[in-house]
Amino acid sequence: MATADDVRRIALGLPGAIEKLAWGMPTFRLEGGGRIFASLDDDDRVMGVKCPQEDREELIAAEPDKFFLREGHDDNYAWMRVRLSALEDDDELYAILLDSWRQAAPRKLLDAHPDLAPPKR
């Protein structure tokens, strides 16, 4: 089971990532522009990550015990929640955080880390 410490360790291991408290919760964002790519809810059992709105419904339908929306908060944003207890291992946590980081990272940061850039379609 993933923990808040695992989220922190993996998120802060990504290039340009910093931790900053916002809304009473830890957020993980990119230096400079401050774009948030992950957050921990106040109970440290759920993390928020960037996710294109068009992909959320499919992910939630496929794994509702893992992915969900915080009603009234995530509805209109490219964001969703992940229950840490439902994650299989560090590899899955890393993959989710990396995908979210990629969505927040500016082109310059992605270009500086081609090994982390999203696969070309």
Side-chain angles (χ1 to χ4, degrees):
M1 176 175 95
T3 67
D5 288 338
D6 296 327
V7 172
R8 184 170 280 109
R9 173 179 48 81
I10 292 171
L12 293 175
L14 294 168
I18 59 170
E19 182 175 345
K20 182 177 180 183
L21 198 62
W23 311 287
M25 299 180 297
T27 64
F28 302 93
R29 51 184 73 215
L30 298 171
E31 293 176 306
R35 294 179 189 173
I36 298 172
F37 68 91
S39 67
L40 285 167
D41 283 8
D42 54 9
D43 65 1
D44 283 349
R45 297 184 321 190
V46 172
M47 74 173 170
V49 293
K50 294 186 74 57
C51 181
Q53 286 180 301
E54 60 272 11
D55 295 344
R56 297 185 314 186
E57 189 174 312
E58 184 179 332
L59 288 167
I60 292 167
E63 297 184 86
D65 292 339
K66 187 178 296 183
F67 302 113
F68 68 101
L69 296 181
R70 194 161 142 208
E71 287 186 37
H73 186 80
D74 300 330
D75 304 335
N76 300 314
Y77 300 98
W79 202 255
M80 73 174 183
R81 306 295 159 155
V82 181
R83 290 179 183 89
L84 297 178
S85 62
L87 296 177
E88 294 178 25
D89 54 27
D90 272 6
D91 291 340
E92 184 177 25
L93 176 59
Y94 175 79
I96 292 169
L97 285 167
L98 177 59
D99 186 59
S100 188
W101 176 88
R102 287 172 173 157
Q103 292 174 63
R107 174 65 39 208
K108 187 176 182 178
L109 185 57
L110 290 171
D111 289 346
H113 300 277
D115 54 319
L116 299 178
K120 302 213 186 234
R121 293 181 187 214

